[in-house]
Amino acid sequence: MPTEIPRRTVLAAAGGVAAIAAVPVTLTVIDATAAPAAGSSTVDVTLTVNGTVYRRTMEARVTLLDALREQLGLTGTKKGCDRGECGACTVIADGRRIKSCLTLAAMRNGSEITTVEGLADGDDLHPVQAAFVEHDAFQCGFCTSGQIMSAVALIEEGHTGSDDEIRDWMSGNLCRCGAYPGIVAAVREAAP
Ligand code: FES
Ligand code: FES
């Protein structure tokens, strides 16, 4: 049989619930004001880029792309989409091509990175760079450093058996200028 609860009791209980509910809100505010001071989320990162060792302290959320461009001044690696779609940011990390906008610099701590700045030997272009020039494999050039880094890795990977294979394995690098025929020709020429 249901027990009758006086209205006053219900209201008092509700007030208690409201008071309890208010506690976490208050705590949340206190927590927010006690958040770590700016800079305490930084990490020390060591990267070897094109043979030079760089040590930097940076926010943990910094991508490898932003670290290269903004902290190391290596702006040859381009930021296109900044979300893994265009390939403009391609670099080689520990022997594998990656999209540097999708990787945190902290995750690459201790890695060896090669960017487009590291390909030429003084005034002598890397064979892939020379082939891109030879075959007019660019127009505006914005995608080109990513295309070249991808091509260098692709040749190492051995995916140059045919033009179709080259196209398949270069498909992560987009070119808004449509320089694809020249790109494929350049990769074909640079391949052994
Ligand atoms: Fe990284 Fe587009 S900028 S894939
Ligand atoms: Fe312009 Fe590729 S050369 S986007």
Side-chain angles (χ1 to χ4, degrees), residues 138-144 175-177:
F138 50 87
Q139 290 182 35
C140 76
F142 194 82
C143 72
T144 307
C175 174
R176 287 183 301 180
C177 299

Side-chain angles (χ1 to χ4, degrees), residues 4-17:
E4 188 172 327
I5 303 172
R7 184 169 178 272
R8 181 188 298 273
T9 304
V10 172
L11 290 176
V17 169

Side-chain angles (χ1 to χ4, degrees), residues 86-144:
C86 72
C89 63
T90 304
V91 300
I92 298 174
D94 298 324
R96 300 185 62 181
R97 51 180 161 157
I98 63 167
K99 292 176 177 176
S100 59
C101 70
L102 292 183
T103 304
L104 297 178
M107 292 169 63
R108 289 291 165 180
N109 187 34
S111 287
E112 296 208 9
I113 312 289
T114 304
T115 69
V116 72
E117 291 95 338
L119 293 183
D121 182 8
D123 290 337
D124 295 330
L125 294 179
H126 184 283
V128 172
Q129 291 175 306
F132 267 62
V133 173
E134 175 71 24
H135 290 276
D136 278 336
F138 50 87
Q139 290 182 35
C140 76
F142 194 82
C143 72
T144 307

Side-chain angles (χ1 to χ4, degrees), residues 65 78-89 99-101:
L65 173 60
K78 301 303 182 197
K79 181 184 284 190
C81 63
D82 204 22
R83 57 184 184 186
E85 293 176 356
C86 72
C89 63
K99 292 176 177 176
S100 59
C101 70

